[in-house]
Amino acid sequence: METRLDLVFAALSDQTRRAILTMLLEDDMAVTDVAEPFDMSLAAISKHLTILSRAGLITQEKRGRVKWCKLDPDALREASVWMQGFGQFEPVNLDAFERFLEEELRDEA
Amino acid sequence: METRLDLVFAALSDQTRRAILTMLLEDDMAVTDVAEPFDMSLAAISKHLTILSRAGLITQEKRGRVKWCKLDPDALREASVWMQGFGQFEPVNLDAFERFLEEELRDEA
DNA sequence: CGCTTATTTAACCGATTGGTTGACGATCGC
DNA sequence: GCGATCGTCAACCAATCGGTTAAATAAGCG
């Protein structure tokens, strides 16, 4: 049986999809705009978005011919709870996270 | 390019492997003992352990003919930092985690 | 209406995944 | 040394993945 947690972690295991989530952290975006920075077909991005959507990490709403993608952090929270359970972590270091973010964005460029 | 984070999330995306990590939370274990509760060949478990090991989530040390598996939460911390960056999370709810743990263990049984 | 833009679908491809079985190399106990 | 145990390796299998191109669907624009 495939659990929600399976889907979330599988969705997060791809750099392209993590980069998409990072982009959506800034603002909601249309599919075409999500695809723009990537060296990849629109169809491929569409598939990635489907995977993120099935995992519950984003929601998609169609207005007119444009489909808007919006981050939905609920699923992430669930996964985060699972991970934090392994315990020996210091309180979250946001500086470390920002370095991470920059690195991910740099890799993508 | 396959990053560390790719490997960690991919490793976590399988219920069997998450259950193994949960077991190792209690104590270090030999490969055969890890395999015991699962309805799956020893070779399959051996592969799962290799994946966890390459992701840095466990370390394995051979003493005699027994190979001991030990949880190594460093890689998890890295992934956790990434996730927490999505921010809108309440401080970690350990009760929620314990419910999760119980559920995972129940699923496995 | 007819063109353009937005997005998904279908068919295909090679690589990877998660499992199997069977053979194999190491190591322990006797 | 001999037999049992520990664990991995190799070959195989069906299913999924991450990408492609080409066609199809849908909606806005003039």
mmCIF file of all heavy atoms in Angstrom, chain B residues 1-20:
data_model
loop_
_atom_site.group_PDB
_atom_site.id
_atom_site.type_symbol
_atom_site.label_atom_id
_atom_site.label_comp_id
_atom_site.label_asym_id
_atom_site.label_seq_id
_atom_site.Cartn_x
_atom_site.Cartn_y
_atom_site.Cartn_z
ATOM 1 N N MET B 1 22.784 15.713 -11.923
ATOM 2 C CA MET B 1 23.599 15.326 -10.766
ATOM 3 C C MET B 1 22.712 14.906 -9.594
ATOM 4 O O MET B 1 21.730 15.567 -9.281
ATOM 5 C CB MET B 1 24.435 16.530 -10.342
ATOM 6 C CG MET B 1 25.448 16.239 -9.270
ATOM 7 S SD MET B 1 25.716 17.629 -8.169
ATOM 8 C CE MET B 1 24.654 18.898 -8.821
ATOM 9 N N GLU B 2 23.077 13.858 -8.906
ATOM 10 C CA GLU B 2 22.271 13.369 -7.787
ATOM 11 C C GLU B 2 22.846 13.876 -6.469
ATOM 12 O O GLU B 2 23.964 13.543 -6.095
ATOM 13 C CB GLU B 2 22.230 11.841 -7.771
ATOM 14 C CG GLU B 2 21.195 11.304 -6.817
ATOM 15 C CD GLU B 2 20.635 9.978 -7.313
ATOM 16 O OE1 GLU B 2 21.428 9.030 -7.372
ATOM 17 O OE2 GLU B 2 19.449 9.908 -7.664
ATOM 18 N N THR B 3 22.086 14.704 -5.786
ATOM 19 C CA THR B 3 22.580 15.284 -4.550
ATOM 20 C C THR B 3 22.288 14.369 -3.361
ATOM 21 O O THR B 3 21.502 13.419 -3.456
ATOM 22 C CB THR B 3 21.895 16.630 -4.266
ATOM 23 O OG1 THR B 3 20.534 16.385 -3.921
ATOM 24 C CG2 THR B 3 21.933 17.520 -5.485
ATOM 25 N N ARG B 4 22.898 14.706 -2.244
ATOM 26 C CA ARG B 4 22.668 13.996 -1.000
ATOM 27 C C ARG B 4 21.177 14.019 -0.630
ATOM 28 O O ARG B 4 20.597 13.017 -0.222
ATOM 29 C CB ARG B 4 23.511 14.654 0.098
ATOM 30 C CG ARG B 4 23.095 14.362 1.525
ATOM 31 C CD ARG B 4 23.140 12.883 1.860
ATOM 32 N NE ARG B 4 24.466 12.327 1.912
ATOM 33 C CZ ARG B 4 25.196 12.212 3.015
ATOM 34 N NH1 ARG B 4 24.714 12.635 4.143
ATOM 35 N NH2 ARG B 4 26.383 11.667 2.993
ATOM 36 N N LEU B 5 20.588 15.203 -0.832
ATOM 37 C CA LEU B 5 19.187 15.369 -0.469
ATOM 38 C C LEU B 5 18.290 14.452 -1.308
ATOM 39 O O LEU B 5 17.320 13.878 -0.807
ATOM 40 C CB LEU B 5 18.804 16.839 -0.669
ATOM 41 C CG LEU B 5 17.888 17.519 0.333
ATOM 42 C CD1 LEU B 5 18.190 17.120 1.748
ATOM 43 C CD2 LEU B 5 17.965 19.031 0.168
ATOM 44 N N ASP B 6 18.618 14.305 -2.579
ATOM 45 C CA ASP B 6 17.891 13.356 -3.429
ATOM 46 C C ASP B 6 17.906 11.969 -2.792
ATOM 47 O O ASP B 6 16.868 11.304 -2.674
ATOM 48 C CB ASP B 6 18.542 13.243 -4.813
ATOM 49 C CG ASP B 6 18.333 14.473 -5.677
ATOM 50 O OD1 ASP B 6 17.429 15.272 -5.360
ATOM 51 O OD2 ASP B 6 19.067 14.635 -6.658
ATOM 52 N N LEU B 7 19.104 11.549 -2.409
ATOM 53 C CA LEU B 7 19.267 10.207 -1.862
ATOM 54 C C LEU B 7 18.497 10.034 -0.562
ATOM 55 O O LEU B 7 17.881 8.997 -0.322
ATOM 56 C CB LEU B 7 20.751 9.905 -1.639
ATOM 57 C CG LEU B 7 21.604 9.811 -2.912
ATOM 58 C CD1 LEU B 7 23.076 9.665 -2.560
ATOM 59 C CD2 LEU B 7 21.137 8.628 -3.762
ATOM 60 N N VAL B 8 18.542 11.058 0.286
ATOM 61 C CA VAL B 8 17.863 10.961 1.577
ATOM 62 C C VAL B 8 16.354 10.839 1.375
ATOM 63 O O VAL B 8 15.710 9.931 1.916
ATOM 64 C CB VAL B 8 18.184 12.179 2.467
ATOM 65 C CG1 VAL B 8 17.298 12.178 3.705
ATOM 66 C CG2 VAL B 8 19.648 12.176 2.865
ATOM 67 N N PHE B 9 15.782 11.731 0.575
ATOM 68 C CA PHE B 9 14.332 11.690 0.393
ATOM 69 C C PHE B 9 13.898 10.406 -0.328
ATOM 70 O O PHE B 9 12.884 9.804 0.023
ATOM 71 C CB PHE B 9 13.849 12.932 -0.358
ATOM 72 C CG PHE B 9 13.778 14.162 0.490
ATOM 73 C CD1 PHE B 9 14.398 15.338 0.092
ATOM 74 C CD2 PHE B 9 13.088 14.156 1.693
ATOM 75 C CE1 PHE B 9 14.324 16.487 0.885
ATOM 76 C CE2 PHE B 9 13.020 15.288 2.492
ATOM 77 C CZ PHE B 9 13.643 16.458 2.078
ATOM 78 N N ALA B 10 14.687 9.984 -1.313
ATOM 79 C CA ALA B 10 14.353 8.738 -2.003
ATOM 80 C C ALA B 10 14.373 7.576 -1.014
ATOM 81 O O ALA B 10 13.489 6.714 -1.026
ATOM 82 C CB ALA B 10 15.326 8.490 -3.153
ATOM 83 N N ALA B 11 15.367 7.569 -0.131
ATOM 84 C CA ALA B 11 15.467 6.496 0.853
ATOM 85 C C ALA B 11 14.252 6.503 1.781
ATOM 86 O O ALA B 11 13.733 5.455 2.153
ATOM 87 C CB ALA B 11 16.759 6.637 1.659
ATOM 88 N N LEU B 12 13.771 7.695 2.117
ATOM 89 C CA LEU B 12 12.652 7.812 3.054
ATOM 90 C C LEU B 12 11.304 7.521 2.392
ATOM 91 O O LEU B 12 10.292 7.389 3.088
ATOM 92 C CB LEU B 12 12.621 9.222 3.654
ATOM 93 C CG LEU B 12 13.774 9.589 4.575
ATOM 94 C CD1 LEU B 12 13.635 11.038 5.031
ATOM 95 C CD2 LEU B 12 13.808 8.660 5.782
ATOM 96 N N SER B 13 11.297 7.396 1.090
ATOM 97 C CA SER B 13 10.016 7.272 0.386
ATOM 98 C C SER B 13 9.477 5.845 0.388
ATOM 99 O O SER B 13 8.479 5.559 -0.260
ATOM 100 C CB SER B 13 10.160 7.761 -1.052
ATOM 101 O OG SER B 13 10.882 6.814 -1.819
ATOM 102 N N ASP B 14 10.118 4.968 1.109
ATOM 103 C CA ASP B 14 9.674 3.569 1.168
ATOM 104 C C ASP B 14 9.349 3.178 2.601
ATOM 105 O O ASP B 14 10.146 3.395 3.523
ATOM 106 C CB ASP B 14 10.774 2.667 0.606
ATOM 107 C CG ASP B 14 10.348 1.221 0.556
ATOM 108 O OD1 ASP B 14 10.422 0.551 1.622
ATOM 109 O OD2 ASP B 14 9.952 0.755 -0.517
ATOM 110 N N GLN B 15 8.172 2.592 2.748
ATOM 111 C CA GLN B 15 7.673 2.270 4.080
ATOM 112 C C GLN B 15 8.557 1.263 4.814
ATOM 113 O O GLN B 15 8.778 1.370 6.015
ATOM 114 C CB GLN B 15 6.254 1.710 3.952
ATOM 115 C CG GLN B 15 5.388 2.086 5.116
ATOM 116 C CD GLN B 15 3.917 1.886 4.825
ATOM 117 O OE1 GLN B 15 3.551 1.453 3.723
ATOM 118 N NE2 GLN B 15 3.068 2.195 5.797
ATOM 119 N N THR B 16 9.047 0.276 4.057
ATOM 120 C CA THR B 16 9.949 -0.699 4.657
ATOM 121 C C THR B 16 11.179 -0.013 5.239
ATOM 122 O O THR B 16 11.585 -0.274 6.378
ATOM 123 C CB THR B 16 10.394 -1.729 3.614
ATOM 124 O OG1 THR B 16 9.243 -2.375 3.072
ATOM 125 C CG2 THR B 16 11.315 -2.765 4.221
ATOM 126 N N ARG B 17 11.744 0.903 4.460
ATOM 127 C CA ARG B 17 12.955 1.567 4.938
ATOM 128 C C ARG B 17 12.655 2.476 6.126
ATOM 129 O O ARG B 17 13.452 2.545 7.074
ATOM 130 C CB ARG B 17 13.605 2.345 3.785
ATOM 131 C CG ARG B 17 14.275 1.429 2.785
ATOM 132 C CD ARG B 17 15.161 2.175 1.805
ATOM 133 N NE ARG B 17 14.438 3.041 0.902
ATOM 134 C CZ ARG B 17 14.071 2.716 -0.337
ATOM 135 N NH1 ARG B 17 14.357 1.508 -0.819
ATOM 136 N NH2 ARG B 17 13.437 3.579 -1.091
ATOM 137 N N ARG B 18 11.516 3.153 6.114
ATOM 138 C CA ARG B 18 11.176 3.979 7.282
ATOM 139 C C ARG B 18 10.977 3.101 8.511
ATOM 140 O O ARG B 18 11.398 3.444 9.617
ATOM 141 C CB ARG B 18 9.924 4.817 7.012
ATOM 142 C CG ARG B 18 10.163 5.961 6.033
ATOM 143 C CD ARG B 18 9.062 7.010 6.111
ATOM 144 N NE ARG B 18 7.720 6.465 5.986
ATOM 145 C CZ ARG B 18 7.118 6.187 4.843
ATOM 146 N NH1 ARG B 18 7.742 6.393 3.697
ATOM 147 N NH2 ARG B 18 5.905 5.690 4.823
ATOM 148 N N ALA B 19 10.377 1.938 8.309
ATOM 149 C CA ALA B 19 10.186 1.022 9.441
ATOM 150 C C ALA B 19 11.536 0.566 9.980
ATOM 151 O O ALA B 19 11.732 0.476 11.208
ATOM 152 C CB ALA B 19 9.351 -0.177 9.009
ATOM 153 N N ILE B 20 12.481 0.313 9.085
ATOM 154 C CA ILE B 20 13.819 -0.092 9.523
ATOM 155 C C ILE B 20 14.452 1.002 10.366
ATOM 156 O O ILE B 20 14.989 0.745 11.453
ATOM 157 C CB ILE B 20 14.722 -0.420 8.308
ATOM 158 C CG1 ILE B 20 14.239 -1.702 7.623
ATOM 159 C CG2 ILE B 20 16.175 -0.564 8.735
ATOM 160 C CD1 ILE B 20 14.972 -2.037 6.328
#
